[in-house]
Amino acid sequence: MAPPQSTPPAVLACGEIRTCLLPARQALDIRSAARLLGLRAGERVLLSERPGLYARSPDTLTGVDCLLPSANGARVRAVGTVTAHAALTEGRVLQTSAHCRLPGTGPDQRRPWGEYLVRPGVVEPFGRLPHEAVARGVLGGPRQGDLDVGLVADGLLTRVLRHPLLDQRPPFRCRPTRLRWAALPAPPGEGPSLERFTLAEDELRTVHLRVPEGTSGAELAALCDDFALHDWLLTTVVRMLDGLRLGAGAAQDAATVVRTLRPAVDHLLHLWMPAARVGRELAALWDPLEERPGFTRQWQALVQRIRDQLALYAVPAAHRDVAPGP
């Protein structure tokens, strides 16, 4: 068998992430997390206890042979594999992530399938790749029949959610989110940049990045997994507070407020650690989100508001428990 031909450098990387609350009454311990994410026999689950409990499945590969989404109508066929993994943070927040890299040019004919398998996470175009148009097409959403890495992330999520360890009794109700990202080359001599972070409809977020040549797809996926985790935390806590009418004349009683806000304290407030698992070269891409809109400022304000409300509603109960003086 002839040796596989070399692949040109990637000019586009893209991926999608699904983030949701694990449907289990209790958070999973580290051993149970390893059982949940043991997706490939004989391959170990990555486990970490610092700076928090974290488990990540081995990578899985999904073969694709399809057209690429494109904003200018170009119809480019591509063949290769999409890499996917699942991760669990503090035994409570589940994510599935799928991504791939695309080189600037590919062969005019399909290679033997074995040559694609030795390039995990690479999807090769036939001929030249109009990478700017394809990046816009990815972020805008693929049409039916186009490459859709979100379907790979969805399929992996469905697989994990069927595991018998999960009792399907989450401690509170919340919506999952989707984050779709695309990374194009940065200008020569420039570092990575976050071009745009957008909140779209139907729980969708889109991220447009530019990164130096040679940035690995795994590092980009880790960065975007981190974005997705913290965006989900913000979104979930904002919605917890959104339905409450607080203050004088509010309809809810103390028990309702405490019942609504307590899950945030029990399950979410300790999870905020931006860039804790992001490579050093890409960690600076958190800075634009901290400056504006100010992810951590908003989180800290929400946390303080929850704690203030719980303290406030505890005051009348404490007064009732104090026996009157002589």
Side-chain angles (χ1 to χ4, degrees):
M1 178 178 175
Q5 301 176 25
S6 61
T7 302
V11 296
L12 172 64
C14 61
E16 283 204 34
I17 302 135
R18 304 292 184 261
T19 308
C20 66
L21 185 71
L22 190 75
R25 196 64 172 168
Q26 298 294 328
L28 297 188
D29 60 33
I30 200 73
R31 289 183 296 275
S32 297
R35 289 174 55 197
L36 177 74
L37 301 182
L39 302 180
R40 299 182 64 178
E43 294 196 27
R44 296 181 60 183
V45 174
L46 172 66
L47 302 175
S48 173
E49 296 183 355
R50 301 288 186 275
L53 296 181
Y54 177 80
R56 183 184 182 280
S57 76
D59 286 340
T60 64
L61 296 180
T62 300
V64 295
D65 181 346
C66 54
L67 296 173
L68 296 174
S70 174
N72 66 1
R75 308 300 284 162
V76 179
R77 180 183 169 193
V79 182
T81 58
V82 174
T83 301
H85 66 265
L88 190 63
T89 300
E90 289 289 352
R92 181 47 74 196
V93 183
L94 175 65
Q95 293 183 284
T96 57
S97 176
H99 63 95
C100 63
R101 294 171 293 126
L102 293 92
T105 58
D108 294 328
Q109 303 180 56
R110 178 168 172 162
R111 303 180 192 267
W113 186 243
E115 294 192 21
Y116 295 107
L117 293 178
V118 298
R119 301 180 179 89
V122 174
V123 176
E124 285 189 332
F126 284 12
R128 184 170 296 278
L129 178 73
H131 53 282
E132 296 277 355
V134 171
R136 294 195 300 273
V138 166
L139 294 176
R143 296 172 294 186
Q144 186 174 3
D146 288 351
L147 175 67
D148 188 347
V149 293
L151 290 179
V152 178
D154 278 335
L156 185 56
L157 180 62
T158 299
R159 177 182 172 185
V160 174
L161 291 178
R162 289 174 177 165
H163 199 284
L165 273 174
L166 306 180
D167 59 21
Q168 307 303 321
R169 297 173 59 206
F172 61 97
R173 294 187 178 277
C174 60
R175 299 178 188 176
T177 57
R178 301 178 292 146
L179 186 143
R180 180 183 298 151
W181 60 271
L184 289 164
E190 294 190 12
S193 62
L194 174 60
E195 301 290 294
R196 188 169 60 254
F197 186 106
T198 303
L199 301 183
E201 297 179 356
D202 301 324
E203 318 306 322
L204 173 66
R205 289 81 173 97
T206 61
V207 176
H208 178 201
L209 305 163
R210 288 197 179 269
V211 296
E213 182 178 323
T215 303
S216 80
E219 290 177 348
L220 285 167
L223 171 72
C224 293
D225 288 355
D226 200 52
F227 286 162
L229 171 65
H230 290 84
D231 171 79
W232 179 87
L233 288 170
L234 267 179
T235 301
T236 300
V237 172
V238 165
R239 285 178 176 154
M240 280 183 173
L241 287 162
D242 188 44
L244 290 176
R245 295 179 59 193
L246 303 172
Q252 284 95 349
D253 59 17
T256 301
V257 173
V258 172
R259 185 169 58 250
T260 302
L261 297 182
R262 181 170 178 174
V265 178
D266 290 344
H267 303 285
L268 303 181
L269 299 192
H270 61 293
L271 301 185
W272 192 263
M273 297 185 204
R277 301 186 185 279
V278 177
R280 184 176 301 175
E281 292 184 359
L282 296 180
L285 293 183
W286 258 102
D287 293 346
L289 295 180
E290 298 291 27
E291 293 170 6
R292 186 175 181 181
F295 269 44
T296 295
R297 287 197 305 274
Q298 184 181 7
W299 178 259
Q300 290 170 344
L302 292 170
V303 169
Q304 190 60 53
R305 188 179 181 201
I306 289 171
R307 289 176 174 162
D308 288 347
Q309 288 299 323
L310 291 176
L312 180 64
Y313 279 96
V315 170
H319 282 187
R320 287 194 297 270
D321 291 340
V322 175

